[in-house]
């Protein structure tokens, strides 16, 4: 059974940093591109970032490029998202998702990031 | 900037059929965008319904189907049920590792 479990969310001040983790199980982690998708309170889904299975290809939405860094540790079956220079508009539930056929087939339950002073 | 468009809201009667669409602010949606569809109820993670235009995800009933209709991707729900009342999102793969979600459609079953 595929499972994705996010952690690391919390309350952070504007300008602060946070690192999110997504622990994966039930599939060959290193074979799949993984993505982060977020959802601000009461808003729709927004793709944030993706990383190829080997870690060689990183991709970002314009809204986070230069502030967020995606990475993975295939030996630990874990995906990460480093969030720096956080803004109020980064407040959202952050989901990790397993990419399949240019879409997503499995999602985690999400972790809430709140940026507020 | 690419905008993916969806109807903000739609309603369907129980047992009825509804087609939600996913378009582009400029241009047509084709299979090359690998459109996929997700269902989300409040407080829950998204659930994958359709990927790569018309492939149903595991466990998704066959009353959900995906297609290209004209210049848009489409999600059709036949025999709508009360628990189909949800938000529905499409996402398009733009190439070069970039995805763009639509704004979502709030479906009411009444």
């Amino acid at each position: 059974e595929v499972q994705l479990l996010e952690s690391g969310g919390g309350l952070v001040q504007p300008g602060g940093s946070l690192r999110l983790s997504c622990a994966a199980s039930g599939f060959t982690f290193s074979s799949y591109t993984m993505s982060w998708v977020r959802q601000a309170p009461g808003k729709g889904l927004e793709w944030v970032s993706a990383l190829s299975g080997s870690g060689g290809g990183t991709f970002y939405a314009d809204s986070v490029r230069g502030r967020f860094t995606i990475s993975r540790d295939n030996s630990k079956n874990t995906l990460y998202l480093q969030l720096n220079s956080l803004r109020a508009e980064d407040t959202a539930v952050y989901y990790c998702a397993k990419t399949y056929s240019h879409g997503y087939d499995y999602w985690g339950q999400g972790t809430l990031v709140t940026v507020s002073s | 900037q690419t905008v993916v468009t969806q109807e903000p809201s739609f309603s369907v009667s129980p047992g009825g059929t509804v087609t939600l669409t996913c378009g582009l602010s400029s241009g047509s949606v084709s299979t090359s965008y690998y459109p996929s569809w997700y269902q989300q109820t409040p407080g829950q993670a998204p659930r994958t319904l359709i990927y790569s235009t018309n492939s149903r995800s595991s466990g998704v009933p066959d009353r959900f189907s995906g297609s290209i209709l004209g210049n848009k991707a489409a999600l059709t729900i036949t025999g709508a049920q009360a628990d189909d009342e949800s938000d529905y999102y499409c996402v398009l793969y733009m190439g070069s590792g970039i995805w763009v979600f639509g704004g979502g459609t709030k479906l009411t079953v009444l």
Side-chain angles (χ1 to χ4, degrees), chain A residues 39 45 47 59 102 104 107-108, chain B residues 38 40 45 48 96-97 99 101:
Chain A
Q39 186 169 37
L45 299 172
W47 174 77
F59 309 96
H102 300 91
Y104 312 107
W107 299 73
Chain B
Y38 307 87
Q40 189 183 36
T48 301
S96 301
W99 283 265
F101 278 92

Side-chain angles (χ1 to χ4, degrees), chain B residues 39 49-50 56 60-66 75-77 84 88:
Chain B
Q39 178 190 50
L49 296 176
I50 301 288
R56 258 186 306 277
V60 174
D62 60 7
R63 52 196 190 79
F64 291 91
S65 62
L75 173 71
T76 299
I77 308 171
D84 294 336
Y88 292 85

Side-chain angles (χ1 to χ4, degrees), chain A residues 7-85:
Chain A
S7 61
L11 175 63
V12 60
Q13 293 187 338
S17 298
L18 216 52
R19 188 176 85 156
L20 308 182
S21 299
C22 172
S25 61
F27 64 102
T28 305
F29 182 70
S30 60
S31 296
Y32 292 93
T33 294
M34 298 293 294
S35 293
W36 288 98
V37 175
R38 69 183 180 182
Q39 186 169 37
K43 303 297 185 182
L45 299 172
E46 178 189 14
W47 174 77
V48 171
S49 182
L51 178 59
S52 63
S54 65
T58 58
F59 309 96
Y60 299 96
D62 288 345
S63 58
V64 306
R65 186 176 292 114
R67 300 187 300 122
F68 291 7
T69 302
I70 192 171
S71 62
R72 64 195 296 159
D73 185 336
N74 286 342
S75 69
K76 296 182 178 180
N77 289 350
T78 302
L79 178 73
Y80 302 100
L81 187 66
Q82 178 69 41
L83 290 63
N84 295 334
S85 303

